Amino acid sequence: MKQALYFTSLVDDIVQCNLCPHHCTIRPNDTGLRRVRKNIDGILYSLVYGHPIAQSIDPVEKKPLFHFYPGSRTFSIATVGCNLKCKHCQNADISQLHEEPNFSTEISPDDIIRSALEQKAESISYTYTEPTIFYEYAFDIAQLAHSKGLKNIFVTNGYIETEAFQQIAPFIDAANIDLKAMSDEFYKRICGARLQPVLDAIKAYVENDIWVDITTLIIHGYNDDEKGLSDIAGFIYDINPDIPWHVTGFSPTYQLTEAPPTSVSMIEKAVIIGKDAGLSYVYPGNRGFGEHTICPVCGKELIRRDGFQVSTNKTLNNSCPDCKARISGIGLDWI
Ligand code: SF4
């Protein structure tokens, strides 16, 4: 347990959490909306500090990040909890808590860094659940990681307040941010959140020079209309057409079991919509095709991926070796 950052004291020991746009008001001895922050005698505490429920090595492609040190190893951690309640959550068993969590052992930020270095990771990923929910833990780990030469990656829903984001931003090197739909109604009904803070967060990440990939999970009948997808692509284009957009396929899960699995043709249509909007890199996700990086100028295949593995990387000095076009990304040919 660690005292939380970002809360204000109200009357009668009631506090307001200011970490994310929910701004939960929490009474003494109660927890916030997502049960991982507790008010004890007028002080807010993070209950998940030091208590990861997942630690594993992944290829960075699994986040997915396709233009950030391709083929590198990232030490991935998560705690329980999330500040959204998506009906289609793929990790609901660890993200959606119905009661206050209990932990026995504690793993310090030093322990995390030691494990990452032992396993020859190039970065730490805060992933699987929402890093904002374990902000204090992530913040301490991220600072240590930088001091040891490790990069930091947030895999996030983008639901964080500006002040909290600005404090941790200097320590984040890359992020994959979900843009679930260009619809406030979708965010409210399906995720229990709002759209605008996510759009603001995406812009803030880019303005802070953090490398960003964006992911949209396409669900038939919910967010697969052409206009909605075009609006997402247009939003990304207006920020930077070189931001990679991953359009991934849904499988029925958790509380959203009536929608069918996303068809390959729907994913292909989304890729065309992204390219027609002018995006340089649109990747069809988790359907086993088309996840290679192609030079947007001459069409040469530059990075070939088989699943999450990079099998060929022909980029040279972050450029196409044939036409010399600059390929956006960080450390593309780091090996
Ligand atoms: S971080 Fe948790 S407690 Fe704080 S405002 Fe968001 S949902 Fe509420």
Side-chain angles (χ1 to χ4, degrees), residues 59-72 211 213 244-246 280-295 300-315 327-334:
V60 75
E61 283 68 24
K62 197 173 174 184
K63 300 303 114 192
L65 280 177
F66 281 10
H67 291 238
F68 184 82
Y69 297 93
S72 63
W211 178 262
D213 280 28
W245 186 32
H246 302 262
S280 306
Y281 310 102
V282 188
Y283 295 104
N286 67 8
R287 287 296 184 267
F289 70 96
E291 296 194 272
H292 314 310
T293 298
I294 309 294
C295 174
K300 182 183 179 68
E301 182 183 284
L302 297 174
I303 304 176
R304 168 164 278 271
R305 299 179 182 85
D306 297 316
F308 295 129
Q309 302 301 323
V310 171
S311 53
T312 318
N313 182 353
K314 296 178 179 156
T315 57
I327 307 300
S328 283
I330 298 180
L332 290 186
D333 47 2
W334 68 284

Side-chain angles (χ1 to χ4, degrees), residues 75-194:
F75 189 74
S76 302
I77 61 165
T79 72
V80 292
C82 186
N83 55 354
L84 267 57
K85 50 179 183 181
C86 303
K87 293 182 193 299
H88 55 290
C89 180
Q90 294 166 348
N91 292 323
D93 53 330
I94 53 174
S95 71
Q96 304 299 311
L97 297 189
H98 301 293
E99 55 190 43
E100 197 181 308
N102 253 319
F103 305 103
S104 48
T105 54
E106 179 146 347
I107 297 175
S108 70
D110 278 313
D111 295 333
I112 295 288
I113 300 297
R114 197 172 309 115
S115 298
L117 292 172
E118 275 169 12
Q119 298 193 51
K120 306 204 179 319
E122 279 81 25
S123 60
I124 311 260
S125 283
Y126 308 82
T127 180
Y128 306 137
T129 57
E130 170 53 40
T132 303
I133 217 76
F134 54 98
Y135 180 92
E136 293 79 6
Y137 194 37
F139 186 54
D140 287 352
I141 296 168
Q143 290 176 81
L144 265 181
H146 264 197
S147 73
K148 300 288 181 190
L150 292 163
K151 310 284 185 207
N152 292 303
I153 295 168
F154 261 35
V155 181
T156 177
N157 57 33
Y159 218 59
I160 186 168
E161 266 303 342
T162 307
E163 193 185 348
F165 169 72
Q166 292 296 345
Q167 183 173 349
I168 202 168
F171 302 99
I172 306 176
D173 302 286
N176 186 298
I177 309 175
D178 272 354
L179 181 48
K180 296 170 190 287
M182 202 54 124
S183 153
D184 197 48
E185 193 271 335
F186 178 98
Y187 266 89
K188 278 187 183 142
R189 186 166 57 96
I190 306 298
C191 307
R194 289 177 291 125

